[in-house]
Amino acid sequence: MPSTDLPGPGSLLRRTLGERRIALVAWRLLVLQTAHPVVAAGMADHSTYRAHPWRRVQHTMDSGKRLFFSDADSLRREVARLERTHRRIRGADGRGGAYTAEDPEVRAWVLVTLYESMTAMRELSGDPPTPGQLDELYREFLAVCAEFGLPGHVLPPTAADVPAYVDRMVRERLEYGGEVKYLLFGILREAPCPSRLRRLRTLWPLLRVVVARTLAALTVADLPPAFRERFGLPRPRAAALLSRVLHHGARHLLTRLPDRLRYRVPPTGAVPRPRAPRPPRHDPRPPRLDAFFRQVMDQTGDGYVDAADLRAMAHNACWQLELTTEREDEVYAAFDAWWRHMGATMDTDGDGRVGRAEFVAATLAGCDRDARYLEDGLHIAVRALFRAGDTDGSGEIGPDEYRALFGGSRVHPAELNDGFRQLDADGDGRLTEEEFVRGFTEFFTARVSTVAGSRLLGRP
């Protein structure tokens, strides 16, 4: 039965979590979560956040939106997705002890720190919640947490119990290890330019130094006093002043703005009117398709693709993967089907082969004309490749399996690694079949270069 007490449009939880100024405590939240030794070990062993910090932040924000701003069915789908991801996050920590992300205590800490960060946002801005508001906020928060099926004893029972719970975790369980220090003082000094600031790309090496220093000072200043005390993190006057100016200033500014500007996610449940996309200055698809033709399809390097090239592609995949006869036959049959589709739609001069210009023009025309164009050719081969590449039968492909599928002298391994991370939509280090197929579809169809699939072969 769907829950009937989930926080709905206009709830205090949605109003608090949806405010744009929640971003001021976002890094503080990450630091508190990562200070748990199990979270730190999982990040060190399984996360791609060092290479793609902005994507990791975006995934976290998207997950939070699905958990706290959606209906019961969407919430349950997100909880199930998180559980599938966390089942694979396990290993041995630096002390040789076993850890798992399914540990109820760990999951409770990650959830409660989000609630604690919402209250911290209000307190740091000079507008602390009243006891009644805290009770209301925590009651709504627990309604969402209930969908995770955690044992009742791992979560503080009331809002009044949260401060003591956080203080106990800080003093008895948290650690100030390498992952926390890297989040505070290292990651932003190495982070690539965010896509939203791409116009400032040339200035980013200088800007990120300023951003790193400012965010580190703000985060340390905003951490719970018990955390700073235990780990010897001073709160300089300049950092305290920075915190006060930013938090108080954001409250006075944003609370006077209309909701469409004040909130990152509208608390009313109204769907914001989408902006009309800007037409790109140029279509990025032709160079992508040209690169795919040259680097992947033209096996002989003669500037043409024919049935032999497609069979060579199938052969290369089968050779590296050491498939059974039945699975090998499936791959060859799928590439034969792709060639038949290509021959029927691209071989305009009937010479039994497809040139680079023919391939690019026909693919663009086909995709523009029919949204299902790729399903009759490319998708058949891609799905067969996925099943062949899934050598352990897990239903997913890991980075090693991905490199085995597409590796070779024509594509640098670093580019393949980058392509894999881009396609890994949920950042769990594995590709599902749908992520795999979606990546190819975006590569062939996307009119912008910011979607994951546009980087199938690495950086464009």
Side-chain angles (χ1 to χ4, degrees):
M1 293 288 293
S3 299
T4 57
D5 56 351
L6 290 174
S11 61
L12 180 60
L13 185 144
R14 289 194 179 186
R15 294 200 308 274
T16 305
L17 189 57
E19 283 209 57
R20 293 188 184 277
R21 60 192 172 116
I22 197 72
L24 291 174
V25 293
W27 216 258
R28 175 187 183 278
L29 167 65
L30 291 176
V31 168
L32 287 175
Q33 291 177 341
T34 307
H36 194 293
V38 172
V39 177
M43 290 177 66
D45 294 344
H46 298 276
S47 178
T48 60
Y49 81 101
R50 287 178 178 255
H52 296 280
W54 307 122
R55 188 186 68 178
R56 196 69 218 118
V57 169
Q58 186 62 51
H59 287 172
T60 301
M61 293 172 61
D62 290 344
S63 180
K65 187 183 299 185
R66 290 191 288 265
L67 288 174
F68 295 99
F69 292 88
S70 59
D71 56 30
D73 289 339
S74 299
L75 165 60
R76 289 200 174 101
R77 285 196 298 271
E78 181 61 15
V79 170
R81 187 190 69 80
L82 290 171
E83 290 178 345
R84 289 194 303 271
T85 299
H86 290 155
R87 276 197 294 269
R88 291 186 290 271
I89 301 178
R90 57 182 64 245
D93 59 25
R95 300 175 180 176
Y99 72 83
T100 171
E102 294 183 293
D103 185 337
E105 179 217 337
V106 179
R107 302 177 76 187
W109 173 248
V110 170
L111 288 169
V112 173
T113 49
L114 178 58
Y115 164 81
E116 190 272 347
S117 294
M118 287 189 281
T119 62
M121 178 191 76
R122 292 280 304 271
E123 291 168 357
L124 289 164
S125 69
D127 180 32
T130 66
Q133 289 175 328
L134 288 173
D135 289 339
E136 179 184 356
L137 183 64
Y138 195 60
R139 184 172 59 251
E140 295 172 348
F141 181 77
L142 286 181
V144 176
C145 293
E147 298 295 334
F148 285 86
L150 297 174
H153 70 275
V154 299
L155 290 166
T158 70
D161 296 304
V162 172
Y165 164 82
V166 173
D167 189 75
R168 176 177 59 82
M169 290 293 290
V170 168
R171 298 185 185 279
E172 300 177 6
R173 195 73 178 94
L174 302 192
E175 296 178 358
Y176 185 53
E179 299 301 317
V180 175
K181 294 175 183 176
Y182 183 68
L183 274 176
L184 277 174
F185 305 114
I187 188 170
L188 288 177
R189 295 178 182 275
E190 304 171 1
C193 182
S195 59
R196 293 184 178 181
L197 300 180
R198 57 186 177 273
R199 292 184 179 179
L200 301 176
R201 191 181 303 274
T202 57
L203 298 177
W204 178 246
L206 296 176
L207 288 176
R208 67 182 174 188
V209 174
V210 177
V211 172
R213 289 178 178 174
T214 303
L215 188 55
L218 174 67
T219 303
V220 171
D222 291 349
L223 284 168
F227 191 99
R228 296 198 308 271
E229 176 187 334
R230 182 184 174 196
F231 299 116
L233 295 172
R235 190 177 193 251
R237 286 187 177 182
L241 178 61
L242 173 69
S243 173
R244 181 178 178 83
V245 169
L246 288 178
H247 286 287
H248 284 247
R251 174 171 67 88
H252 287 294
L253 173 62
L254 291 175
T255 54
R256 288 169 169 76
L257 295 177
D259 284 359
R260 62 185 177 83
L261 299 177
R262 177 179 178 180
Y263 293 100
R264 180 177 57 86
V265 183
T268 59
V271 178
R273 185 168 56 189
R275 295 180 180 179
R278 290 183 179 181
R281 295 181 179 180
H282 67 280
D283 190 343
R285 294 176 298 169
R288 285 204 303 264
L289 297 176
D290 186 274
F292 189 83
F293 185 97
R294 290 183 289 102
Q295 297 179 25
V296 179
M297 301 186 68
D298 183 9
Q299 293 286 307
T300 60
D302 64 356
Y304 293 92
V305 166
D306 57 17
D309 286 285
L310 272 291
R311 283 195 293 270
M313 291 174 65
H315 169 77
N316 288 340
C318 295
W319 176 269
Q320 296 180 103
L321 300 175
E322 300 181 1
L323 302 175
T324 64
T325 301
E326 293 77 9
R327 184 53 57 85
E328 195 170 287
D329 289 343
E330 179 184 342
V331 174
Y332 274 91
F335 276 79
D336 285 342
W338 187 15
W339 169 248
R340 288 194 296 273
H341 183 254
M342 288 179 61
T345 60
M346 299 181 184
D347 183 12
T348 56
D349 56 10
D351 64 353
R353 59 183 187 171
V354 173
R356 196 162 63 198
E358 287 178 314
F359 173 78
V360 173
T363 301
L364 293 175
C367 292
D368 289 343
R369 181 180 64 251
D370 182 5
R372 299 173 60 88
Y373 174 79
L374 299 178
E375 294 181 13
D376 297 328
L378 174 72
H379 284 187
I380 297 173
V382 168
R383 292 187 184 278
L385 266 184
F386 179 89
R387 291 188 289 270
D390 178 20
T391 54
D392 59 3
S394 65
E396 297 172 316
I397 284 180
D400 291 339
E401 293 169 322
Y402 185 86
R403 285 190 294 268
L405 275 175
F406 298 112
S409 61
R410 301 189 182 195
V411 186
H412 194 278
E415 297 297 289
L416 288 174
N417 292 339
D418 187 76
F420 177 88
R421 288 190 293 264
Q422 292 296 324
L423 297 187
D424 181 15
D426 56 11
D428 65 354
R430 311 287 293 178
L431 294 180
T432 65
E433 184 170 345
E434 293 312 310
E435 284 177 323
F436 192 70
V437 174
R438 181 168 63 249
F440 275 90
T441 302
E442 290 177 346
F443 184 89
F444 277 67
T445 62
R447 293 178 178 270
V448 295
S449 297
T450 55
V451 297
S454 68
R455 300 176 71 167
L456 184 71
L457 301 180
R459 292 178 291 272

